Amino acid sequence: MTTTTPRTTIPGEPDPWSPPPQPAHAPPRRHPGRVAAATLCVVLGGGLVGGAAVTTWAEHRAANRPLPADAAYRKAGSLWRAAPVDSLLPPVLAGPSAGPGGADRTWTRIALAPDADCPTALPADWQATVAATGCTRVLRATYTDATRSSLIAVGMVFTPADEPTMNALKGRLTAPPAYGFADNQRAAWAASVHTEAPVVVYAVSAFADGRPQDAPRPAEDLVKKDATGAAAQAGLGHEAKAIAARLGDGLAALAAPPATPGAPPATPGAPPATPGAPPATPATPPATPAPKAEVAR
């Protein structure tokens, strides 16, 4: 019989038979495929976010890039529906030095017609004249001076034509129609084709008391120093010429491309600023902004 002597444990000495200590929660082994998939997702997500940022930047840059001249010209033909009516036909117009002898003038809008198609708003002779350009829409209004002794009917004829076709109208326009008074009351008229938009702007003046006239005369004739007759002496030629010019300037400002960063914004109704020149006088006096009106569709 074999006798085994039990081993005496010495305090402080590790037990040679004890298994090596193990951590309470050993981390699981990472599978190489899962690591690669997670890395790929991070890379793809970053690419998508970066691509979206680049796309947004490109769209912003494209939206703020000035249009080519021909595209901007065609786009201006839609201002009749894209711009507020009060910016096209302001409730109040100021005319510094616009009257006879350099007198100041102020005109107030007293009537505003719904936008109309061309057969409704234009007489036969004007329809024939603008037939080559086409005609999209006509805006009309009536103004009166501060003394309410004169009436000035105005209009804007919008077309889809290009600039050469519009330029062909110059010198062919006759006395425009009157909105707000009869045709036989027309005294003076002015009409122009602007280079910034495919639009004809016109104005025709009359006496507010309704007295008939022999025939409407071009405003340029009635503003001459040697012009005679009641209409010339009353300044009706000045009224038609000045209002047509101010509405045309306002239209040009609305049709102009967006200002470059840091440049002062254009004022509707004011001519473009000349470097080194003093600031131009606004076409309309400072006033409490009128509620935005929409042209009736």
Side-chain angles (χ1 to χ4, degrees), residues 13-167:
E13 181 182 355
D15 187 354
W17 305 105
S18 299
Q22 296 290 332
H25 299 286
R29 296 182 60 187
R30 298 179 182 274
H31 194 282
R34 293 179 180 177
V35 174
T39 304
L40 180 61
C41 289
V42 171
V43 172
L44 291 177
L48 291 174
V49 172
V54 171
T55 300
T56 302
W57 174 81
E59 291 176 349
H60 175 77
R61 182 178 181 183
N64 289 275
R65 182 184 297 119
L67 293 173
D70 57 342
Y73 186 85
R74 291 192 301 271
K75 184 178 180 181
S78 63
L79 285 173
W80 68 270
R81 66 167 177 261
V85 64
D86 283 355
S87 63
L88 291 165
L89 302 170
V92 177
L93 284 171
S97 306
D104 294 339
R105 285 286 189 268
T106 301
W107 303 279
T108 303
R109 193 183 69 198
I110 59 173
L112 180 64
D115 64 284
D117 56 22
C118 301
T120 301
L122 300 179
D125 58 340
W126 268 63
Q127 292 184 50
T129 301
V130 301
T133 66
C135 182
T136 306
R137 216 68 179 163
V138 181
L139 303 185
R140 297 167 294 166
T142 305
Y143 288 81
T144 187
D145 69 329
T147 66
R148 294 191 175 268
S149 60
S150 63
L151 298 174
I152 306 94
V154 303
M156 293 183 176
V157 182
F158 289 80
T159 82
D162 56 18
E163 189 171 358
T165 305
M166 292 298 295
N167 288 337

